[in-house]
Amino acid sequence: MATETGRPTADATTAPELACPVSPVVDIVFSRWTTPILWSLHTFGRQRFVELQRRVTSITPKVLTQRLRQLERDGLVVRTYHPEVPPRVEYEISELGRSLAPLFAHLAEWADTNLEHVERARRHYDDAGSPRG
Protein backbone atom coordinates (compact mmCIF):
# COMPACT_ATOMS: atom_id res chain seq x y z
CA MET A 1 0.00 0.00 0.00
CA ALA A 2 1.24 3.53 -0.77
CA THR A 3 0.34 7.10 0.14
CA GLU A 4 -0.57 9.84 -2.32
CA THR A 5 3.14 10.67 -2.57
CA GLY A 6 3.86 7.15 -3.78
CA ARG A 7 5.73 6.23 -0.62
CA PRO A 8 4.84 2.92 0.95
CA THR A 9 2.83 3.12 4.16
CA ALA A 10 3.91 1.35 7.30
CA ASP A 11 1.83 -1.37 8.85
CA ALA A 12 1.84 -2.73 12.39
CA THR A 13 4.61 -5.21 11.55
CA THR A 14 7.05 -2.60 10.21
CA ALA A 15 9.86 -1.74 12.59
CA PRO A 16 9.68 1.97 13.55
CA GLU A 17 13.24 2.65 12.35
CA LEU A 18 12.25 1.33 8.91
CA ALA A 19 8.87 3.06 8.82
CA CYS A 20 10.15 6.56 9.58
CA PRO A 21 10.79 8.25 6.22
CA VAL A 22 13.38 10.68 7.60
CA SER A 23 15.62 8.12 9.33
CA PRO A 24 17.90 7.68 6.31
CA VAL A 25 18.24 11.46 5.96
CA VAL A 26 19.11 11.85 9.63
CA ASP A 27 21.74 9.12 9.28
CA ILE A 28 23.29 10.85 6.27
CA VAL A 29 23.14 14.50 7.29
CA PHE A 30 23.17 14.76 11.07
CA SER A 31 26.29 12.96 12.13
CA ARG A 32 28.65 14.73 14.52
CA TRP A 33 30.84 16.32 11.84
CA THR A 34 28.71 16.34 8.71
CA THR A 35 26.75 19.49 9.45
CA PRO A 36 29.81 21.65 10.28
CA ILE A 37 31.61 20.39 7.16
CA LEU A 38 28.63 21.09 4.91
CA TRP A 39 28.06 24.46 6.57
CA SER A 40 31.69 25.44 6.02
CA LEU A 41 31.65 24.39 2.37
CA HIS A 42 28.32 26.13 1.79
CA THR A 43 29.42 29.33 3.53
CA PHE A 44 33.03 29.65 2.36
CA GLY A 45 32.93 27.75 -0.94
CA ARG A 46 35.60 25.45 -2.35
CA GLN A 47 38.32 24.63 0.17
CA ARG A 48 41.43 22.57 0.58
CA PHE A 49 41.66 19.99 3.35
CA VAL A 50 43.69 22.22 5.70
CA GLU A 51 41.25 25.12 5.27
CA LEU A 52 38.38 22.86 6.24
CA GLN A 53 40.32 21.51 9.19
CA ARG A 54 40.97 25.08 10.42
CA ARG A 55 37.30 25.98 10.13
CA VAL A 56 35.90 22.79 11.66
CA THR A 57 37.79 23.04 14.92
CA SER A 58 38.65 20.01 17.03
CA ILE A 59 38.13 17.50 14.23
CA THR A 60 41.06 15.14 13.73
CA PRO A 61 42.56 14.72 10.25
CA LYS A 62 41.54 11.05 10.27
CA VAL A 63 37.88 11.83 11.05
CA LEU A 64 37.79 14.70 8.55
CA THR A 65 39.11 12.37 5.86
CA GLN A 66 36.51 9.72 6.73
CA ARG A 67 33.63 12.23 6.74
CA LEU A 68 34.72 13.82 3.46
CA ARG A 69 34.91 10.40 1.80
CA GLN A 70 31.44 9.51 3.08
CA LEU A 71 30.01 12.86 1.97
CA GLU A 72 31.58 12.37 -1.47
CA ARG A 73 30.13 8.86 -1.62
CA ASP A 74 26.69 10.22 -0.65
CA GLY A 75 26.93 12.85 -3.40
CA LEU A 76 26.90 15.84 -1.02
CA VAL A 77 30.52 16.89 -1.62
CA VAL A 78 32.61 17.02 -4.78
CA ARG A 79 36.34 16.28 -4.55
CA THR A 80 38.56 17.74 -7.26
CA TYR A 81 42.08 16.42 -7.70
CA HIS A 82 44.55 18.72 -9.50
CA PRO A 83 47.51 16.69 -10.86
CA GLU A 84 50.20 19.28 -10.31
CA VAL A 85 53.39 19.29 -8.27
CA PRO A 86 52.65 19.13 -5.44
CA PRO A 87 49.18 17.63 -6.00
CA ARG A 88 46.24 19.74 -4.87
CA VAL A 89 42.82 18.51 -3.73
CA GLU A 90 39.80 20.75 -3.19
CA TYR A 91 36.37 20.04 -1.79
CA GLU A 92 33.12 21.81 -2.51
CA ILE A 93 29.49 21.26 -1.71
CA SER A 94 27.53 19.65 -4.55
CA GLU A 95 24.15 20.75 -5.87
CA LEU A 96 22.63 17.90 -3.86
CA GLY A 97 24.38 19.17 -0.73
CA ARG A 98 23.30 22.73 -1.50
CA SER A 99 19.70 21.53 -1.70
CA LEU A 100 19.85 20.92 2.06
CA ALA A 101 20.14 24.68 2.74
CA PRO A 102 16.38 25.22 3.26
CA LEU A 103 16.31 22.33 5.74
CA PHE A 104 19.19 23.86 7.71
CA ALA A 105 17.51 27.29 7.55
CA HIS A 106 14.32 25.81 9.05
CA LEU A 107 16.35 24.07 11.76
CA ALA A 108 18.17 27.33 12.58
CA GLU A 109 14.81 29.11 12.84
CA TRP A 110 13.48 26.35 15.09
CA ALA A 111 16.61 26.63 17.26
CA ASP A 112 16.21 30.40 17.61
CA THR A 113 12.59 29.95 18.64
CA ASN A 114 12.84 26.84 20.81
CA LEU A 115 16.28 26.19 22.32
CA GLU A 116 15.47 28.41 25.29
CA HIS A 117 12.38 26.24 25.92
CA VAL A 118 14.49 23.10 25.69
CA GLU A 119 17.00 24.48 28.19
CA ARG A 120 14.17 25.43 30.56
CA ALA A 121 12.66 21.93 30.26
CA ARG A 122 16.05 20.36 30.98
CA ARG A 123 16.54 22.50 34.08
CA HIS A 124 13.05 21.62 35.29
CA TYR A 125 13.70 17.92 34.68
CA ASP A 126 17.09 18.02 36.40
CA ASP A 127 15.74 20.00 39.37
CA ALA A 128 12.90 17.52 39.85
CA GLY A 129 15.31 14.60 39.78
CA SER A 130 15.32 12.20 36.88
CA PRO A 131 12.78 9.38 37.13
CA ARG A 132 14.19 5.98 37.77
CA GLY A 133 12.47 3.02 36.40
Side-chain angles (χ1 to χ4, degrees):
M1 180 181 283
T3 64
E4 290 178 19
T5 62
R7 293 187 188 134
T9 57
D11 63 27
T13 62
T14 304
E17 64 273 11
L18 298 176
C20 179
V22 298
S23 287
V25 176
V26 170
D27 289 343
I28 293 167
V29 177
F30 296 107
S31 76
R32 167 92 166 93
W33 296 110
T34 297
T35 48
I37 291 169
L38 290 176
W39 179 85
S40 180
L41 291 172
H42 181 76
T43 303
F44 299 105
R46 183 181 298 182
Q47 296 170 62
R48 296 180 72 173
F49 185 90
V50 285
E51 293 172 295
L52 265 172
Q53 191 175 15
R54 263 188 252 124
R55 289 196 169 111
V56 182
T57 58
S58 74
I59 191 170
T60 65
K62 177 183 175 183
V63 172
L64 180 56
T65 298
Q66 290 170 340
R67 292 311 310 148
L68 286 168
R69 285 182 182 156
Q70 186 62 51
L71 289 167
E72 182 182 8
R73 181 175 181 257
D74 291 340
L76 301 176
V77 166
V78 176
R79 177 183 183 271
T80 304
Y81 174 78
H82 300 278
E84 34 190 67
V85 179
R88 184 169 47 101
V89 177
E90 294 176 317
Y91 298 90
E92 62 185 311
I93 194 167
S94 69
E95 284 301 315
L96 182 61
R98 221 176 262 104
S99 73
L100 291 167
L103 171 65
F104 289 128
H106 285 295
L107 287 171
E109 183 180 316
W110 186 92
D112 286 344
T113 304
N114 295 296
L115 279 184
E116 184 179 316
H117 301 289
V118 171
E119 287 301 321
R120 202 172 320 129
R122 287 176 178 171
R123 283 192 302 276
H124 176 72
Y125 181 89
D126 292 346
D127 291 346
S130 62
R132 305 201 186 239

